Amino acid sequence: MIGRFTWRAILFISVAASWLAVGTTKAADAPSPAVVSPRPNILIILADDQGWGDLSINGNTNISTVAIDGLARGGAILDRFYVCPVCSPTRAELLTGRYHPRGGVHNVTNGGERLNLDEKTIADVFKAAGYATGAFGKWHNGTQYPYHPNARGFDEYYGFTSGHWGTYFDPPLDHNGQWVRGKGFIIDDLTDHAMAWMEQHKNQPFFCYLPYNTPHSPMQVPDRYWNKFADAEIKLRATRPEAEDIPFTRAALAMCENIDWNVSRVLQKLDELKLANDTIVIYFSDNGPNSWRWNGGMKGIKASTDEGGVRAPFMIRWPGHIPPGAHVPQITGVIDLLPTLADLAGVPINGAKPLDGVSLKPLLLAQAHNWPDRMIFSHWAGKVSVRTQRYRLDANSHLFDMEADPGQTKDVAAENKEVAGKLTAAVAKWKSELLPGLEDDRRPFTVGFPQFPMTPLPARDGTPHGHVQRSTGAPNCSYFKNWTSVEDAMTWDIEVATAGQYEAVVCYTCPAADIGSTVELSFNGRKIEATIAEAYDPPLMGAEHDRVPRHGESYVKDFKPLRFGMIDLPAGHGQLTLRALRVTGKQVADVRVVLLTLKSKPS
Ligand SMILES: [Ca+2]
């Protein structure tokens, strides 16, 4: 094993060489090569649906986020930092430094969240440079290998790959492709795993990605955080107070204070490991707030391409390098993080595709002299908005002077025809380059890789036929129900990469009164049958922890494996089909997921 001392020696050479090669730093400011740091660790903490306004440092007196505020004060705040209107696109842009349509991301579910396999990720970049790489949390850029994080540059993964999850207490989670039971509240658990992993890798540079899944709904949080807010008066209100759901706001703020506690634990761990000065820590959120609540007077919330939907909190700390207390007023975005972190760490970018983002190193190190204005585009569901330092052209071609009118109340296009014309043309060009064909997504779900033998095919990624329904409207953590007839079916559009013997399992529930049905799993002429002989009918979970009633996310339950035995699958594209040959009760079963595990290649 290579110890940190050896790494220091190896990395000193390359860092010193790059410092000498750049040669733009004034001699008086330059660090002595003798004290050049080793390559810094990277820790990226990403919140989910936390608005810019959900932090006390940004002026919200409803909440106290002392750890995140302290992180910001110890480094720099990017005042105008832009992400995407929803989750998976922002994550894709973080991973690639490129606008999300370039990587095929066009949806938050049904496979449209998957990042194309020909994209290099930020983890690929740091892994190639010798970093240990780990991700702990909500992935949301593809479930099946090789879309799985373990195939996208992360050596270690613990979390869930879907867009949301049905319960946050002791949930089922994915650990390097194996299903395990999480322990306690999910954010605390993810943090525990990240801290243990950082400690394990303290003697080599590490890249740690900690994408939390709160305050995304369902609105669940431990009592310790909820108790403060359960009856709290919410003094600062949403721009549209009539639209604010106060119990939802209370839950969101409690969840943000739980995040803050976990951030305090991570930062304390870095202190304990004496790594605080060697670690670049970033904190930001993936889109605007998931409800109308105070957000600094901005227009729009999550899913909007207006300012409130895409401006996120962003802070970055690197002691001894980034001046504490700095504010960066220039517009910046999540597309900038890959080039920025590679530049700060002195790590080469190993992808061949052009980036949309730029390195912010000159801004962060207060070395920027002539920083040109730029355009940052925001897209969701075909709507495109563009921001410059002064203006936003919204998705309806209204122009707003964001300096004079940050709440986007007065269209100034008529008074600024030249600006409006230039931005309108830029949006048209961006759309014509990036959007055509985006939603014509024919990527099958991938099955059968020897290095990652088990492929889960959840209900989310399947199609119900006949009477079969999803347990809820939002597919992400749904299951199939109302399977009542031999005419019904569930199909998955799959591509089998490796011909061979697969162990087939369907995770089901069935009450005692309905057991006995015979079901068949088939693919391109190969078939296998099983009989549902054992009842399993546990209660639905989730509601008991919801602080406000949920809308969209499915309640969840445990499912039992129905083992089909081995099926010989040919390589190729086709429909994996689950149907009943004989129905003995009122229903066949509820189905959560089909598991196909490659056991052996044909001899
Ligand atoms: Ca989100």
Side-chain angles (χ1 to χ4, degrees), residues 74-392:
I77 287 181
L78 304 191
D79 285 326
R80 296 285 183 284
F81 181 81
Y82 296 100
V83 293
C84 304
V86 291
C87 315
S88 47
T90 291
R91 285 148 211 267
E93 294 187 2
L94 165 65
L95 290 175
T96 62
R98 292 156 51 78
Y99 286 119
H100 61 273
R102 297 193 197 278
V105 174
H106 63 91
N107 202 339
V108 291
T109 194
N110 296 117
E113 75 280 15
R114 289 175 296 170
L115 177 65
N116 281 339
L117 299 173
D118 60 353
E119 297 285 335
K120 286 265 189 192
T121 73
I122 193 168
D124 293 324
V125 167
F126 279 87
K127 184 179 166 76
Y131 277 62
T133 52
F136 305 87
K138 166 172 146 176
W139 173 247
H140 208 183
N141 284 128
T143 291
Q144 295 84 8
Y145 195 93
Y147 293 95
H148 188 277
N150 284 137
R152 307 314 298 262
F154 289 101
D155 303 325
E156 176 76 7
Y157 178 66
Y158 180 78
F160 65 91
T161 56
S162 179
H164 61 241
W165 223 219
T167 185
Y168 292 172
F169 290 87
D170 302 330
L173 295 174
D174 173 333
H175 184 209
N176 296 329
Q178 298 296 315
W179 285 102
V180 296
R181 179 67 65 182
K183 188 179 172 194
F185 186 60
I186 186 168
I187 304 302
D188 306 352
D189 189 26
L190 297 172
T191 307
D192 286 343
H193 278 78
M195 291 195 301
W197 181 84
M198 290 191 293
E199 182 156 8
Q200 188 186 343
H201 294 280
K202 64 184 179 185
N203 291 322
Q204 75 176 101
F206 61 73
F207 180 94
C208 182
Y209 176 35
L210 186 49
Y212 291 143
N213 60 296
T214 55
H216 194 299
S217 51
M219 307 306 281
Q220 301 188 349
V221 66
D223 290 344
R224 176 180 163 193
Y225 306 94
W226 175 246
N227 290 344
K228 171 179 168 182
F229 289 96
D231 301 309
E233 182 185 356
I234 302 299
K235 291 181 180 163
L236 271 185
R237 299 293 304 275
T239 312
R240 294 176 50 210
E242 76 285 359
E244 183 165 8
D245 175 344
I246 293 291
F248 193 101
T249 297
R250 290 177 176 137
L253 297 178
M255 293 160 94
C256 290
E257 288 205 357
N258 166 266
I259 291 177
D260 192 66
W261 177 70
N262 278 294
V263 169
S264 79
R265 294 201 300 140
V266 175
L267 298 181
Q268 195 176 350
K269 175 58 77 174
L270 291 176
D271 288 339
E272 283 169 23
L273 298 174
K274 303 197 180 341
L275 292 178
N277 290 337
D278 296 330
T279 304
I280 298 172
V281 182
I282 283 176
Y283 183 89
F284 74 113
S285 182
D286 68 341
N287 48 250
N290 51 349
S291 72
W292 288 102
R293 51 188 188 260
W294 184 81
N295 199 25
M298 286 185 269
K299 182 183 181 187
I301 61 173
K302 177 182 180 178
S304 165
T305 54
D306 285 320
E307 190 83 353
V310 295
R311 182 179 166 206
F314 185 99
M315 33 283 287
I316 179 170
R317 187 188 80 175
W318 190 15
H321 299 265
I322 296 172
H327 278 261
V328 174
Q330 288 90 348
I331 62 168
T332 55
V334 63
I335 50 174
D336 299 327
L337 295 185
L338 186 153
T340 299
L341 289 171
D343 196 9
L344 288 174
V347 162
I349 295 171
N350 59 3
K353 297 190 175 190
L355 305 184
D356 292 307
V358 298
S359 172
L360 306 176
K361 181 179 174 183
L363 296 177
L364 294 170
L365 303 190
Q367 295 167 343
H369 299 297
N370 295 304
W371 188 259
D373 199 4
R374 61 191 291 209
M375 296 182 195
I376 294 180
F377 296 87
S378 296
H379 162 256
W380 184 236
K383 292 188 171 181
V384 177
S385 164
V386 64
R387 185 70 152 85
T388 64
Q389 192 64 39
R390 181 166 177 187
Y391 294 99
R392 178 173 293 284

Side-chain angles (χ1 to χ4, degrees), residues 527-562:
K527 298 176 181 177
I528 191 167
E529 290 178 19
T531 297
I532 299 172
E534 292 182 51
Y536 190 64
D537 192 23
L540 283 175
M541 297 181 293
E544 71 278 20
H545 293 301
D546 287 352
R547 301 299 182 179
V548 294
R550 65 178 68 188
H551 305 284
E553 297 91 11
S554 180
Y555 294 113
V556 293
K557 54 185 174 180
D558 287 331
F559 290 83
K560 183 179 181 65
L562 173 65

